[in-house]
Amino acid sequence: MTTQIQLQEGIKISSAIAETAQRKWQDYFSFNTDHKVIGIQYLVTSFIFYLIGGLLGTAVRTELATPDPDFVSPEVYNSLFTVHATIMIFLWIIPAGAGLANYLVPLMIGAKDMAFPRLNALAFWLIPISGILLLSSFFVGAPQAGWTSYPPLSLISGKAGEEIWILSILLLGTSSILGAVNFFVTIIKMRTPGMGFNQMPLFCWAMLATSALILTATPVLAAALIMLSFDLLTGTNFFNPAGGGDPIVYQHMFWFYSHPAVYIMILPFFGVLSEVIPVHARKPIFGYKALAYSSLAIAFLGLIVWAHHMFTSGTPGWLRMFFMIATMIIAVPTGIKIFSWLATMWGGKIQLTSAMQFAMGFISIFVLGGITGIMLASVPFDIHVHDTYFVVAHLHYVLFGGAVFGIYAALYHWFPKMTGRMLNEPWGSVHFILSYVGFNLTFLPMHILGIQGMPRRVAMYDPKFADLNMLCTIGSYLLAVSTLPFIVNVIWSWMYGSKAGDNPWKGLTLEWMTTSPPPIENFKTTPVLATGPYDYGSNKSDNQSDTTPHSKP
Amino acid sequence: MQIPTIAPAKTELDYHHSFEAAASHHEGHPDHRLFGIFVFLFAEGMIFFGLFAAYLIYKATAPVWPPEGVERELLLPAINTAILVSSSFVINQGNAAIKKNNVKGLRFWLAATAIMGAIFLAGQAYEYSHLNYGLTTNLYASSFFVMTGFHGLHVCFGVLLIAAVLWRSLKPGHYSSTSHFGVEAAEIYWHFVDIIWIILFVLLYLL
Amino acid sequence: MNIPSSILTMLAGIVLTLISLWYGQNHSLLPEAASKEASDVDSLFNVMVTISTGLFLLVQAVLIISAIRFRRRKDDNTDGAPIHGNVPLEILWTAIPAVIILGISVYSFEIYNQMGGLDPMAAHEHGNMQIAHQMKGAAIAAPLPTSFEETAPTPPPQKQIALGIGASPEKQGKPADLLVNVTGLQYAWIFNYPESGVTSGELHLPLGKEVQLNITAPDVLHSLWLPEFRLKQDAIPGRNAELRFTANKIGEYPIVCAELCGSYHGAMRTRLIVETPEEFENWLASQKEMASKESLEEAIAINPAKMSAGEFLAPYVEKMGIDAAALAQLHSQHHHTTASN
Ligand code: HEA
Ligand code: HEA
Ligand code: CUA
Ligand SMILES: [Cu+2]
């Protein structure tokens, strides 16, 4: 532990530098190239879009409170869920993951910044631009073809809105690719000397896998959207059967990206869990290598299962069987993750902090979402529930219960590092309980709705489904309310929260070895590894020292 | 379940190497730009991969390919291909020159590459204006224009990149045998454009 | 390898298994099953529910026990035991899910094959391939396919792959007892019985007879969903797909459009009526008799409203946009049909 203490002292000496390195608020509104500024820019921007997307989701639920299309017109309803999903996926989860990674990856690997700081800033600034572009479509008739935007419907349901949608997705895709280039190069090339791949924190492994997926899959979406754009604007017939084109080709290209996209949206938060759980359970992560390589396995498998979204579409029987089996295999590496996390907690000294609550909530909810995913992969059953509320339930279980809970866990865990102040813990628990209850109230009944016969993307439905829908709507209001304690907590704590100190959770990864918030180039001296990232409880981490008060007798 | 049964002896990972301060801390940060360019071009290549895959599906599901009425002229595109492919060797000469600190040679070979690229674009434009089909005539025609057009954009960008390197090489001492990242970047990009064209050519004209 | 095996664990395991087995049979999540294939799918689902319940409860139990039993006590500032892994345990929890999914895959494959999903001739035999060639731009103006009753296989415009659910293995090669051409268009389903020339907005099927639905669409993607038969297939413009099944329960069932097809996608619903063969013949006869412009117009334009118990659609029928031209064309065809009969 000596080296680490030296490091800490080094930082105390450098605290003078840290003081002058305090960021001014203007920095956050400028083309700043510091990865920490950019990380916070990403996080705040994407959270604002989350509120907008959530507002649209709440509007969707309000419409569905009763069977009649009485709150908005059916056209507007279609725009609501289209923009809701587009914002949630492209402007909330994906940028939030990129934001966290921006803040954490250089710190965790002991680098001063990302490999290409200006590219990094550019990638960020594309996001608010395309977000505003997308929202502006409400003035000309927002896109109505769902976030999947299948032709031929997308070619005839409003040109202007659809083209704006395409442009903003192209910009967001570009942003995502530029970010991935940066992460990939940074993680491979800029680890502090002595940090081999197998000494790397698992969050970095997750980002490596995510970046590889982005680099492989996102460009194919760009190709599809370019072709869709030509069909829309110039009258070519790539996807238009009226002119001999093939709408199924679009579906293949779309899902070649959008299935991997779901892993782009979950892998970073798998990484977050692997960081949060050992710290708050005070126990080494269980099965480091298995966790690291399962991220790669998921990324690879994720590339060869896309047609499970097309089991009732233009796919022949044998193809359906192939994709069914490939899809199911993903349960294995994902199961390894779940069980490793559980084994990490088992026998630990768990502190039920807000971060840990969200991490455990993640596992609790994601498991159900994953299991319904396996059911969906089974072709005979998927034929029944495809395009129903069962799928809507599945996707919110993994996306909300997984990705969003993961983001919250990360924010509660790293907020002290980012701001130097603690979030209020009791209010964090209130936030967690409201979210957990509201979430299940909103989305659990949707499983039943789907199996019983309610299709998705409908503004009006059979009155026999009215009761369960009302329940979902009430749940969604509770869910909306649950964000309020969080927002207030963040704003209040950022200004007046109690001082965090450098390492409030006694973590062992490198980001905790510098000040909170870290100085401009992160570390005074190049950090040196004294322990592995998760060596809790071992005699190597000398607990008697005052840097780690959790002393072992 | 009881914990002690999980044998600590079986510990999978050996994390406990205490790394001695490997004090190889290089000031200023090492250049990752070349690696970055490769990574980026991989992504760029995947866009083309998407277009190629779509094209191959159209081809595989059509009874006749190319559709009736499409005449595929070979002579001009073949000449164009020859020009583009040889320009890859030309730009490589430029890189070789600067490695020997020969800035004049660099300028010469780069200028030659840029001119060949421009000729390629001109040939492409000529071909466009003499085809018996337009953008929306049929699936082959649409694919043809979108794919060659998208590639043409890349050629354009490549020519501009080379021009920029040329411009910078006018400043004495800007490029040298030890520092010529711009030249290498332009060359790698140009090879990329070239490789894509070869695949395009095979797909569009020969298959 | 020492797997924890106290009596307590074993008891917990037994209870977990029992609960899972019970819930797998008693979840009552599924709607009625009106064909043999539907019951097969249901048994597959029940197996998956059983396994899922077990896995789900196991994970939740470990979470809760951890949160309680391994909670940090006040004043205990020690760390947990420095355990980094356990290879046999890790192999175990890799192998068990692998075996489970292998089992589910094989079972699903078997059911799918039984349903006829691998019937290689699907969609080729009785193709009434129509290209939506007239469609340009607006879907509203999309005309109906030139001929509903054409059953002679016209050569497909592209090399097509078989889509949908074909004949189950023992029936392969034999034609179905009844053929119905299904067209989905914004926003109604139209069912045409080529053998008798009847066109209707509702689907009537005789009990116990194998039926083959040939599905296509002139405008955008739709998806024919029969929840009580656990069957669904997209209607794809320019493509032909089929669903083959045998209804085995008399009753009235919903038919739902499951693929987003425009603003009134949610209203694109109608009924499937399974009746005795005699009743079915009577219905066909009565349809032939009173087939006239008016009744057909009603069947299509009013149908979704009729379906929706509440009359929420009434104000929208106007706007719903089964276009006049499309209707007119349909009518003229219909005349032609009746005339030729
Ligand atoms: C974060 C996002 C995310 C994640 C992680 C997943 C994960 C999975 N998804 Fe999901 N999915 C979506 C987001 C996601 N999905 C979205 C957004 C859609 C809808 C898109 C649209 O149409 O709009 C969708 C739709 C979707 C479909 C198409 C449904 C349809 O339209 O008909 C299918 C079908 O196979 C599927 C399957 C799976 C599977 C098998 C997994 C697996 O990765 C899950 C693996 C996890 C587990 C299995 C749980 C943990 C494992 C264990 C505890 C081990 C033991 C388990 C077993 C042996 C079973 N998903
Ligand atoms: C990460 C992804 C994500 C997230 C977090 C959510 C969150 C929510 N979603 Fe979403 N949803 C999708 C991704 C997501 N969704 C996708 C991909 C689809 C498929 C779309 C398609 O078919 O094309 C979908 C579709 C979808 C549907 C189906 C629509 C249909 O098929 O007809 C429904 C219906 O209930 C729904 C509801 C909700 C609700 C109630 C929430 C709630 O969790 C939202 C909670 C609310 C808030 C967080 C807002 C809180 C704040 C305020 C209310 C006020 C403050 C405001 C300001 C200060 C500005 N969603
Ligand atoms: Cu037709 Cu939805
Ligand atoms: Cu998927």
Side-chain angles (χ1 to χ4, degrees):
Chain A
M1 199 64 187
T2 32
T3 8
Q4 207 161 300
I5 293 163
Q6 279 165 6
L7 191 67
Q8 301 270 344
E9 275 162 3
I11 276 142
K12 267 172 213 136
I13 300 163
S14 74
S15 63
I17 304 175
E19 222 86 303
T20 51
Q22 282 299 322
R23 287 286 173 194
K24 298 187 295 293
W25 64 270
Q26 292 95 328
D27 291 344
Y28 292 94
F29 294 88
S30 68
F31 195 84
N32 196 294
T33 57
D34 180 349
H35 73 99
K36 299 182 288 302
V37 173
I38 295 174
I40 287 176
Q41 286 174 324
Y42 262 110
L43 286 169
V44 172
T45 311
S46 58
F47 192 80
I48 291 170
F49 280 115
Y50 173 50
L51 292 181
I52 299 171
L55 210 59
L56 295 173
T58 314
V60 164
R61 279 312 330 163
T62 306
E63 166 63 74
L64 294 175
T66 59
D68 305 352
D70 42 14
F71 177 60
V72 290
S73 76
E75 289 88 355
V76 174
Y77 177 81
N78 288 0
S79 299
L80 284 181
F81 69 72
T82 301
V83 181
H84 160 71
T86 309
I87 288 184
M88 287 299 193
I89 288 173
F90 293 101
L91 288 157
W92 161 230
I93 304 291
I94 294 179
L100 272 180
N102 244 304
Y103 201 96
L104 294 173
V105 164
L107 284 166
M108 283 182 164
I109 62 174
K112 288 181 174 173
D113 204 319
M114 299 280 286
F116 311 113
R118 266 176 301 168
L119 197 66
N120 204 13
L122 176 68
F124 164 72
W125 281 103
L126 284 175
I127 288 180
I129 293 172
S130 38
I132 291 167
L133 181 66
L134 178 68
L135 288 175
S136 74
S137 69
F138 273 110
F139 297 107
V140 295
Q144 294 177 19
W147 83 283
T148 48
S149 214
Y150 280 2
L153 182 64
S154 55
L155 299 175
I156 56 172
S157 61
K159 253 197 176 111
E162 187 62 27
E163 188 54 34
I164 290 179
W165 183 86
I166 292 176
L167 283 178
S168 67
I169 301 293
L170 281 175
L171 285 178
L172 289 163
T174 309
S175 153
S176 185
I177 292 173
L178 295 182
V181 170
N182 229 331
F183 294 130
F184 199 79
V185 175
T186 307
I187 294 172
I188 289 197
K189 292 280 189 188
M190 291 174 65
R191 278 165 290 121
T192 194
M195 184 186 278
F197 278 111
N198 286 338
Q199 282 79 40
M200 197 163 75
L202 287 164
F203 180 73
C204 301
W205 272 106
M207 281 317 295
L208 193 65
T210 309
S211 308
L213 265 186
I214 293 177
L215 292 169
T216 317
T218 314
V220 177
L221 178 69
L225 293 183
I226 290 170
M227 291 164 74
L228 190 64
S229 230
F230 269 95
D231 277 7
L232 192 66
L233 298 180
T234 70
T236 55
N237 290 304
F238 289 116
F239 305 134
N240 194 342
D246 189 349
I248 307 302
V249 173
Y250 174 85
Q251 297 182 11
H252 278 293
M253 295 177 85
F254 179 83
W255 290 114
F256 184 85
Y257 164 73
S258 289
H259 179 77
V262 311
Y263 298 114
I264 293 170
M265 289 186 276
I266 202 69
L267 281 172
F269 308 106
F270 283 169
V272 164
L273 254 70
S274 298
E275 300 299 331
V276 169
I277 289 174
V279 175
H280 297 268
R282 312 304 312 158
K283 206 167 146 274
I285 193 84
F286 195 97
Y288 171 91
K289 278 198 178 147
L291 279 165
Y293 298 142
S294 60
S295 291
L296 299 187
I298 291 174
F300 171 73
L301 288 170
L303 281 172
I304 54 165
V305 302
W306 73 90
H308 65 216
H309 296 271
M310 303 164 58
F311 283 156
T312 69
S313 174
T315 42
W318 60 268
L319 198 73
R320 297 178 183 182
M321 291 297 107
F322 167 78
F323 280 103
M324 167 174 91
I325 293 165
T327 304
M328 287 198 180
I329 295 175
I330 300 187
V332 175
T334 319
I336 290 176
K337 285 193 184 293
I338 303 271
F339 296 129
S340 300
W341 293 326
L342 292 178
T344 306
M345 283 187 271
W346 194 268
K349 308 268 166 144
I350 298 175
Q351 296 165 294
L352 284 177
T353 52
S354 309
M356 192 63 176
Q357 289 169 25
F358 273 103
M360 294 174 81
F362 176 121
I363 300 178
S364 153
I365 293 175
F366 180 83
V367 161
L368 186 52
I371 288 173
T372 55
I374 298 300
M375 293 181 173
L376 287 169
S378 166
V379 176
F381 182 63
D382 181 69
I383 287 179
H384 177 50
V385 290
H386 169 70
D387 264 337
T388 67
Y389 265 80
F390 191 84
V391 177
V392 176
H394 160 73
L395 75 89
H396 286 93
Y397 263 72
V398 283
L399 272 171
F400 195 109
V404 178
F405 272 47
I407 295 172
Y408 280 137
L411 290 178
Y412 280 100
H413 185 71
W414 282 294
F415 187 86
K417 180 50 63 183
M418 294 175 181
T419 63
R421 292 179 188 274
M422 304 298 287
L423 279 171
N424 181 299
E425 281 291 323
W427 280 106
S429 296
V430 171
H431 174 210
F432 170 72
I433 292 167
L434 284 180
S435 304
Y436 192 86
V437 174
F439 173 84
N440 284 297
L441 199 57
T442 312
F443 297 108
L444 194 63
M446 290 186 186
H447 292 105
I448 307 174
L449 284 173
I451 297 178
Q452 289 284 331
M454 179 162 163
R456 63 192 280 203
R457 296 171 163 175
V458 294
M460 51 277 228
Y461 55 87
D462 195 324
K464 73 181 173 196
F465 301 124
D467 293 348
L468 282 176
N469 269 294
M470 184 52 100
L471 203 62
C472 297
T473 302
I474 294 170
S476 75
Y477 292 154
L478 188 60
L479 202 51
V481 171
S482 78
T483 40
L484 298 180
F486 176 74
I487 297 171
V488 174
N489 196 348
V490 164
I491 294 174
W492 190 87
S493 301
W494 207 325
M495 296 191 292
Y496 313 112
S498 59
K499 293 265 185 216
D502 291 349
N503 191 357
W505 313 121
K506 312 297 162 220
L508 291 180
T509 36
L510 285 178
E511 79 272 22
W512 301 110
M513 303 302 139
T514 181
T515 50
S516 303
I520 280 182
E521 291 207 317
N522 296 347
F523 302 96
K524 171 83 190 324
T525 55
T526 304
V528 174
L529 298 180
T531 66
Y534 308 108
D535 285 347
Y536 299 97
S538 71
N539 31 9
K540 288 282 167 62
S541 70
D542 179 356
N543 288 314
Q544 307 301 338
S545 78
D546 50 356
T547 49
T548 20
H550 294 276
S551 52
K552 220 166 107 177
Chain B
M1 266 196 259
Q2 277 167 5
I3 273 316
T5 51
I6 299 171
K10 292 274 158 103
T11 299
E12 240 289 76
L13 272 179
D14 191 10
Y15 235 166
H16 305 278
H17 315 290
S18 209
F19 289 92
E20 285 311 308
S24 68
H25 177 221
H26 22 186
E27 270 317 315
H29 103 194
D31 201 343
H32 305 305
R33 287 176 296 179
L34 271 184
F35 183 53
I37 284 179
F38 278 112
V39 175
F40 180 77
L41 288 182
F42 168 76
E44 195 75 11
M46 285 305 292
I47 304 188
F48 283 102
F49 169 82
L51 296 173
F52 296 161
Y55 176 85
L56 284 172
I57 299 177
Y58 292 139
K59 181 178 172 309
T61 51
V64 258
W65 195 262
E68 277 162 54
V70 171
E71 296 290 325
R72 289 201 287 194
E73 226 257 282
L74 251 182
L75 183 63
L76 180 64
I79 296 173
N80 241 353
T81 307
I83 293 174
L84 198 64
V85 171
S86 33
S87 73
S88 252
F89 294 96
V90 174
I91 197 170
N92 188 264
Q93 289 301 308
N95 198 357
I98 193 64
K99 278 189 181 138
K100 291 186 210 117
N101 252 335
N102 175 0
V103 179
K104 277 229 177 69
L106 170 73
R107 279 187 214 140
F108 172 77
W109 293 111
L110 280 186
T113 317
I115 290 168
M116 290 168 92
I119 294 175
F120 174 86
L121 286 173
Q124 194 86 330
Y126 179 85
E127 193 189 356
Y128 275 16
S129 58
H130 286 77
L131 288 171
N132 66 342
Y133 49 82
L135 176 62
T136 59
T137 307
N138 55 37
L139 272 183
Y140 173 82
S142 305
S143 309
F144 173 86
F145 279 106
V146 169
M147 283 158 67
T148 55
F150 194 54
H151 176 264
L153 270 182
H154 281 73
V155 179
C156 262
F157 185 76
V159 170
L160 290 178
L161 199 69
I162 292 170
V165 172
L166 260 179
W167 176 255
R168 285 192 177 181
S169 74
L170 294 178
K171 208 170 109 200
H174 191 91
Y175 294 117
S176 67
S177 61
T178 48
S179 149
H180 49 268
F181 167 72
V183 181
E184 281 189 43
E187 184 187 345
I188 293 167
Y189 186 82
W190 197 250
H191 291 327
F192 169 78
V193 168
D194 206 14
I195 293 168
I196 296 290
W197 175 258
I198 293 172
I199 305 174
L200 259 184
F201 181 75
V202 172
L203 287 179
L204 286 174
Y205 294 96
L206 302 182
L207 282 184
Chain C
M1 178 164 87
N2 24 16
I3 291 170
S5 60
S6 64
I7 307 259
L8 218 63
T9 323
M10 207 171 80
L11 278 179
I14 293 171
V15 171
L16 200 72
T17 316
L18 288 178
I19 295 180
S20 310
L21 285 174
W22 180 83
Y23 189 66
Q25 298 304 317
N26 296 282
H27 53 73
S28 63
L29 292 171
L30 288 158
E32 201 179 331
S35 72
K36 184 186 162 294
E37 289 84 357
S39 309
D40 289 349
V41 175
D42 291 1
S43 5
L44 169 65
F45 180 63
N46 290 348
V47 169
M48 294 199 293
V49 170
T50 308
I51 297 170
S52 305
T53 311
L55 284 168
F56 176 75
L57 291 180
L58 177 77
V59 172
Q60 308 299 333
V62 174
L63 280 172
I64 293 171
I65 294 172
S66 303
I68 296 169
R69 199 171 136 202
F70 300 115
R71 197 169 175 167
R72 185 171 73 88
R73 315 280 150 196
K74 253 206 165 65
D75 303 326
D76 177 1
N77 282 333
T78 57
D79 285 355
I83 299 161
H84 288 264
N86 178 318
V87 176
L89 198 58
E90 287 175 44
I91 291 176
L92 190 73
W93 68 49
T94 309
I96 290 182
V99 171
I100 294 178
I101 55 156
L102 196 73
I104 299 183
S105 300
V106 171
Y107 192 10
S108 304
F109 189 98
E110 185 50 33
I111 299 281
Y112 190 61
N113 190 23
Q114 280 304 315
M115 293 166 75
L118 295 176
D119 176 9
M121 302 306 285
H124 269 315
E125 276 188 305
H126 304 277
N128 64 334
M129 185 58 60
Q130 300 129 346
I131 327 163
H133 45 83
Q134 300 95 329
M135 180 194 139
K136 202 98 206 178
I140 301 300
L144 284 169
T146 36
S147 165
F148 277 119
E149 58 274 6
E150 186 187 1
T151 49
T154 41
Q158 301 181 328
K159 288 181 230 161
Q160 296 285 357
I161 32 178
L163 300 180
I165 303 288
S168 50
E170 61 271 20
K171 290 183 183 141
Q172 260 167 37
K174 289 182 221 143
D177 301 329
L178 175 69
L179 207 61
V180 184
N181 290 328
V182 182
T183 308
L185 75 165
Q186 289 177 321
Y187 299 95
W189 291 107
I190 294 163
F191 303 96
N192 167 260
Y193 296 75
E195 282 123 2
S196 43
V198 166
T199 300
S200 163
E202 297 180 341
L203 181 59
H204 285 245
L205 293 178
L207 183 73
K209 293 270 164 65
E210 194 186 32
V211 58
Q212 172 172 341
L213 307 180
N214 287 333
I215 306 163
T216 191
D219 43 22
V220 297
L221 299 169
H222 302 269
S223 191
L224 183 79
W225 182 23
L226 312 172
E228 277 72 12
F229 297 81
R230 317 285 185 264
L231 285 178
K232 186 182 289 122
Q233 173 59 47
D234 287 8
I236 305 168
R239 286 261 188 116
N240 200 344
E242 73 171 34
L243 287 177
R244 255 173 99 154
F245 61 97
T246 311
N248 68 3
K249 240 183 221 147
I250 290 190
E252 199 186 301
Y253 308 106
I255 297 177
V256 182
C257 176
E259 178 67 60
L260 179 62
C261 54
S263 353
Y264 291 89
H265 158 60
M268 190 164 159
R269 282 180 270 146
T270 181
R271 320 184 272 176
L272 190 171
I273 294 157
V274 179
E275 48 203 1
T276 59
E278 302 80 62
E279 281 171 335
F280 175 71
E281 289 306 328
N282 290 342
W283 174 79
L284 270 188
S286 73
Q287 287 293 306
K288 264 190 246 178
E289 223 165 84
M290 58 175 243
S292 72
K293 250 184 204 178
E294 292 74 38
S295 73
L296 185 62
E297 185 156 13
E298 231 162 87
I300 297 164
I302 306 298
N303 185 44
K306 225 169 47 187
M307 262 316 294
S308 60
E311 285 183 349
F312 62 89
L313 258 178
Y316 296 100
V317 171
E318 283 279 67
K319 282 205 297 179
M320 267 194 21
I322 309 280
D323 173 66
L327 267 185
Q329 209 189 345
L330 190 62
H331 295 155
S332 65
Q333 267 162 21
H334 197 260
H335 274 300
H336 163 74
T337 311
T338 22
S340 67
N341 272 300

